[in-house]
Structures are given as structure tokens and as C-alpha cells.
Amino acid sequence: MWKVLNLLWILPGVLANDDIHLKFPTGFTIGASSAAYQIEGGWNASDKGVSVWDSFVHEKNWLISDGSNGDIACDSYHKYKEDVDIMKNIGLKHYRFSLSWTRILPTGLPDKISQDGLQYYKDLIKELRSKGIEPFVTIYHWDHPEFMSRLGSWTNEVMVEWFVEYARVVFRELGSMVKFWTTVNEPNNYCEQSYGGKKQAPGMDLPFFGNYLCLHNLLKAHARVYQIYNEEFRAKQKGKIGIVIPCRHNFPKVENDTESARIAFEFDCGWAANPIFSKDGDYPAVMKQRIKENSQLEGLPFSRLPEFSPYWINLIRGSSDYFGLNHYTSKMVEPVPRNNGTPWYQDSGVRSFVNESWPGCPTDWLRVVPEGLGGVLRDIKEAYKNPPVYILENGVSSYPGIADYNRIEFLYGYMKSMLLAMNRDGCNVKVYTVWSLLDNFEWDRGYTERFGLVEVDFNHPNRTRTPRLATKWLSQIIAKGKLIKLQDTYLYTQPPPPQPQAAAMFMPFFPLIFSFVILRLTGFVS
Ligand code: PNW
């Protein structure tokens, strides 16, 4: 009897074995994502109007690493059927893409609606549906009409109602065919780069000022669109609508410095998420306090962080049916010492940096930190009461060629971290989406960074597509409903090795068998 009881010792070891958590729950879907300007091309096809990205790359091509532009990009405007075929072959269950504002409204305003533009999206959606792929449509992924940039783009509040007019046309014309909407892609990252910096359109270069104004108006625009969907379309169209926010996980340099990690999270993710997903419906308290204090020290009679009136707080709070998450990388953080009367470093008072032991990839800002995805999912669960999370971007750039081992390793590690957060820690993730389906125009990096599951030859007029190894691996994961290592697939060696069926069945019991052997050897069990 005691021998049997002794075996119970081993049970925690068996339960802690990560492999038992690697199944995708029923209903969980895996897909891929893209964005209009990065893949479509057809920049002046039919009556399409000029977007801020069209003019930016044409006028300031020295700001793009390889001097290129998205005039043709992957030419998905013409080749969308081939793209859908590729997705079908991989077995992807959903496809996230964005709409080009000026393809649908050539002037940017609803005085004129392009039938050709709408037809392109109707055809794409029909093609997806006919192959059993669910469309996830992003209304705005950074390419607003050019003329609006001359009015200050998103620093001008007039954009809010113009965006509502555009969204209304989109819901009216496409809403019967779409069940999943995203209003705005990555408001925080976008405002930081394009209003705080100058390398991406409209390139305002107004750090610690333009970025705050931009996000303020984008949140208003998002909430108004959520409101009109509720009031005018939801009852009939029965879709879900939300926003997508990029969030990093932050590891404190000093282990118990959870405060710095929390502040870094608030200034990155919470800036956009807190007003929508927290019960106070406003920017994080620490952000309001530190930016106000810095503004005072600068001699300003107001805070550089704009304030929401109670009307807007009410409208923005709760304005998302799901938490859309984009996640790529993590940071280390530490507080920057200050005396009273000196400003908070970078408004946040926290310095972020990378851990040099984290592996890299061809993209300099992207260090590979798989445990960060689980970390950020737990951050979101804790901060916002476990909302349903749709992961709408996660991916890595690979080296030239189609043997993208670093991508397979990245996706395996990140998905494993996600599955542990879900199946072990109760995070409510519903959807996982790889960035990106195709190599594409990577904004200021041009075509120099390759995020595609599928390689695209940008030197060939056909923009030839060649699926990389990761697509074959991903097909197997999707077909089996379970995360498996490349080594455990037939792809690992050629010709395919015999499948280790019997051995695989015993894998979950391996810790048990191993512990038993040890106990035997040490004489605890005879
Ligand atoms: C995404 N970060 O942005 C964009 O949504 C895509 O359009 C883009 O192609 C993709 O990144 C890859 O570059 C992010 O530093 C850029 O954590 C940087 C970060 C997150 C998201």
C-alpha cells in the first residue's frame, strides 16, 4: 500500500508536464494577417484617392530603408484569389486584412463612393467565405486620406466624425458579410511612431505631445464607431467589433520591482487600453499624474496629456467586444532615479531596454522572448478582468530563402507560452493570428524585412509567391489541433521518418516512468 501511495509523489510532476497543455480548445482558430497598404498595390487603380502613405513614400523616399514604396507591393489587388488559395492550402481558418479608406472613398468623404473599390473587397470576402475562411476586417490600418494630413491628421479632432462617416459606409456596404470588425490598428504604436516620430506617415515628429493628441482623437473615433455600430447595425448584422492594441511584457531588472513593470505596462498598453477596458474609463492614473507633473515643471498651465470629459469617458469605457492584442517582443525595465523638482524620465520615469541574452532576428527591435506572450496575457487578465482576447498579430522576420527555421521556432515558443497561459492559467484567448501571410511593404523598412509565411519575389512582375517551410508545419498543427515541434513532424528529415506513434502515446507518462525508475534505483520502491 505504502508503495502505491509513494507514487502519488510523482503526480505533481506529471501534471506540471507542459505537454498536456498543448491542445487548442475547440472553437479556437488560427489565421494570418495583413494590411491594405502593405500588400494591395493598385495605389491609383480605378478612382482610388491618394492616401497619406502614397504621398509620404513618393515625396520622402529617403526615409524608406530601400527607397521603395507600396505602389505595387504584393499586387494583392489583382492576385487576391491566389492569396486565398494559399490560405486554404495551409488550412488557415481566418484572415485579417484592412480596408483602404481612399479605395472606398476617393475624396476621403462620403460625397463619392467608389463602386470598384467596394467591389474589390466584396470579391475578396466572397472568395474567403467560399473557401471557409472567416474574414476579420480592420477598418483603419494607418492609411488615411492625404488631404487630412494637411489638416494635422489625427491631431485634429475633425478626423473623429470623418472616420465615423467612412465606417458607416463600410458597415452599410460590407456589414452583411462580415462578423468580425476591428476599428483601429495599434493606436498607441501608431501615434508614437507617426506623431512622436518622423519615419512613418504623416511623420509629425512631435514627441510627448503630438502622440498624446493623436491617441486622444483615435480613441474618440473608435468609441463613436462602436456606438454607431451598436445603434445602426448590430441588431441586423450581429458582428463583434473591437480595437487592437500592441502590448509588450515588461521584466523588472530587479526581480521584485513589480512597480516598474506595472508603470511600463501602463505607459505602453494601458495608455490605449485603460480607457476602454478598465472600470474608470480613463488614462492610467500614473500616466495622468506623471505627465501633469512634468508639464508643470516645463511651465505649462495644462498637462500635455489631454483630458477626457465625462461624456467621452462614458462613451469610451466598454467600447470593445474583445481585447485585440498584437504582440511581438518584451522589454526589461528599471526606474530612473529623480529628485523632487526634476522631471520624470521620458514622462514615465522608467527606462526600457533589451536583455542582451534574448535572441534576435533580422528586425532590430524584435528580440525573441516567448515567455513574454504568456506574461502579457496574464497582465491583461489581471488588469482588465480576463476579457476575451483575440491575438491579431504575432510573428517574426526570417532570413532569405524558404527554410524559415527561426520562424517555426518563434511560433512554436510563442504559441506554447500562449497555450500555457490559457490552459493552465485560465487566460481567455479565442484566436491566434500570424503576422504575416505574405512578405510585404514593412513601412519605413521597405521590403528589407520578411515577415511572410509566404515568400514574395518583389523583383518579378508576377510577384511570385512561394510558401515557406513554416506553412507546412502550421498545416500540421492546425490539422492536429495541437502544438507540435518541427522535430515531431515528417518535415524534419527527408524522406519523412516513420511516425513515432507508439512512443508518442507514452510521452505524457514519461515523467512518471522516469520518476519510478529513479525511485527503484534509489531503493524507495522495491
Ligand atoms: C506591427 N513593437 O506594428 C504593425 O501592425 C504591422 O503593420 C507591421 O508590419 C508589423 O508590426 C511588423 O513590423 C508593431 O515594437 C511594430 O513591439 C512594433 C511593435 C509592435 C507592433
Side-chain angles (χ1 to χ4, degrees), residues 16 28 122-123 142 178 201 213 239 269 354 372 379 447 468 471 515:
F28 188 91
K122 286 181 185 167
D123 291 346
W142 309 352
V178 176
L213 265 176
C269 190
V354 298
D379 294 339
Y447 298 102
R468 293 198 168 95
T471 59
S515 313

Side-chain angles (χ1 to χ4, degrees), residues 7 13 55 157 184 213 448:
L7 279 177
S55 59
E157 196 174 346
V184 179
L213 265 176
T448 63

Side-chain angles (χ1 to χ4, degrees), residues 202-215:
M204 292 252 171
D205 201 15
L206 294 166
F208 307 108
F209 197 73
N211 46 343
Y212 296 144
L213 265 176
C214 162
L215 188 114

Side-chain angles (χ1 to χ4, degrees), residues 350-496:
V350 172
R351 189 179 81 89
S352 304
F353 55 101
V354 298
N355 181 334
E356 288 305 333
S357 73
W358 290 336
C361 72
T363 298
D364 58 7
W365 54 263
L366 207 173
R367 293 296 181 112
V368 181
V369 195
E371 60 276 25
L373 178 52
V376 84
L377 289 170
R378 287 183 286 270
D379 294 339
I380 290 167
K381 179 182 175 207
E382 203 169 298
Y384 311 119
K385 298 217 164 92
N386 209 13
V389 174
Y390 295 2
I391 297 177
L392 294 176
E393 283 182 32
N394 176 236
V396 71
S397 57
S398 57
Y399 301 89
I402 59 161
D404 52 348
Y405 291 103
N406 81 310
R407 175 168 293 107
I408 297 174
E409 201 176 318
F410 178 101
L411 297 177
Y412 179 86
Y414 276 67
M415 279 201 237
K416 178 168 177 176
S417 172
M418 167 191 79
L419 285 167
L420 290 178
M422 294 161 60
N423 298 342
R424 189 191 62 196
D425 306 333
C427 295
N428 191 10
V429 187
K430 305 279 190 206
V431 157
Y432 174 86
T433 319
V434 180
W435 180 273
S436 181
L437 180 70
L438 306 173
D439 286 343
N440 60 57
F441 180 75
E442 273 294 337
W443 310 113
D444 56 309
R445 313 293 170 97
Y447 298 102
T448 63
E449 290 177 3
R450 297 178 163 260
F451 276 84
L453 289 166
V454 176
E455 182 192 65
V456 177
D457 182 354
F458 294 103
N459 295 318
H460 197 285
N462 284 345
R463 298 298 191 269
T464 317
R465 280 111 162 103
T466 313
R468 293 198 168 95
L469 187 61
T471 59
K472 310 215 163 43
W473 169 78
L474 207 54
S475 297
Q476 294 204 25
I477 306 280
I478 295 169
K480 295 200 160 118
K482 183 175 186 266
L483 189 61
I484 39 176
K485 280 206 169 114
L486 177 68
Q487 289 87 322
D488 298 332
T489 69
Y490 78 87
L491 302 163
Y492 191 54
T493 47
Q494 295 293 343

Side-chain angles (χ1 to χ4, degrees), residues 199-260:
K199 282 163 79 184
Q200 299 199 8
M204 292 252 171
D205 201 15
L206 294 166
F208 307 108
F209 197 73
N211 46 343
Y212 296 144
L213 265 176
C214 162
L215 188 114
H216 203 67
N217 289 322
L218 269 176
L219 286 184
K220 289 181 176 180
H222 155 79
R224 279 281 292 130
V225 169
Y226 187 80
Q227 182 187 31
I228 65 148
Y229 189 75
N230 280 342
E231 289 173 356
E232 301 168 28
F233 302 95
R234 191 189 287 273
K236 226 172 147 192
Q237 301 184 352
K238 299 191 172 62
K240 295 210 183 294
I241 177 162
I243 195 165
V244 55
I245 300 173
C247 302
R248 290 189 284 256
H249 182 64
N250 302 286
F251 295 91
K253 183 176 173 187
V254 174
E255 208 181 322
N256 58 6
D257 181 17
T258 47
E259 184 63 358
S260 294

Side-chain angles (χ1 to χ4, degrees), residues 23-232:
K23 276 192 138 176
F24 295 104
T26 25
F28 188 91
T29 62
I30 296 179
S33 56
S34 70
Y37 188 73
Q38 296 182 269
I39 64 159
E40 283 178 4
W43 79 280
N44 60 359
S46 182
D47 51 356
K48 180 178 170 293
V50 178
S51 83
V52 67
W53 266 97
D54 293 324
S55 59
F56 189 77
V57 294
H58 292 155
E59 287 159 22
K60 298 185 179 172
N61 73 344
W62 64 87
L63 288 176
I64 312 297
S65 301
D66 53 5
S68 65
N69 58 55
D71 287 0
I72 303 175
C74 306
D75 200 20
S76 289
Y77 183 68
H78 297 107
K79 293 172 73 80
Y80 69 92
K81 284 193 177 167
E82 197 179 323
D83 297 346
V84 178
D85 272 342
I86 292 173
M87 290 184 246
K88 172 77 184 164
N89 287 339
I90 303 174
L92 297 176
K93 296 292 185 289
H94 67 268
Y95 178 48
R96 174 181 180 233
F97 62 94
S98 80
L99 307 174
S100 152
W101 187 332
T102 55
R103 195 179 296 291
I104 293 175
L105 301 181
T107 68
L109 300 173
D111 54 334
K112 187 166 174 236
I113 298 174
S114 166
Q115 291 313 316
D116 285 354
L118 279 173
Q119 197 58 46
Y120 169 65
Y121 294 113
K122 286 181 185 167
D123 291 346
L124 169 60
I125 293 168
K126 271 190 205 138
E127 190 69 15
L128 287 164
R129 288 227 170 280
S130 76
K131 302 269 157 79
I133 301 167
E134 186 72 40
F136 275 59
V137 183
T138 304
I139 300 172
Y140 175 67
H141 198 126
W142 309 352
D143 50 349
H144 55 271
E146 205 287 320
F147 94 90
M148 297 179 188
S149 78
R150 281 177 278 141
L151 291 165
S153 295
W154 287 102
T155 60
N156 189 338
E157 196 174 346
V158 72
M159 289 287 286
V160 174
E161 290 307 310
W162 288 350
F163 185 59
V164 171
E165 295 302 338
Y166 160 49
R168 188 178 271 122
V169 171
V170 164
F171 294 141
R172 196 177 65 218
E173 299 289 338
L174 306 174
S176 63
M177 310 161 79
V178 176
K179 295 289 165 244
F180 295 93
W181 294 103
T182 299
T183 53
V184 179
N185 181 64
E186 300 190 347
N188 46 344
N189 180 29
Y190 166 69
C191 293
E192 200 62 50
Q193 293 178 148
S194 302
Y195 297 71
K198 62 177 167 201
K199 282 163 79 184
Q200 299 199 8
M204 292 252 171
D205 201 15
L206 294 166
F208 307 108
F209 197 73
N211 46 343
Y212 296 144
L213 265 176
C214 162
L215 188 114
H216 203 67
N217 289 322
L218 269 176
L219 286 184
K220 289 181 176 180
H222 155 79
R224 279 281 292 130
V225 169
Y226 187 80
Q227 182 187 31
I228 65 148
Y229 189 75
N230 280 342
E231 289 173 356
E232 301 168 28

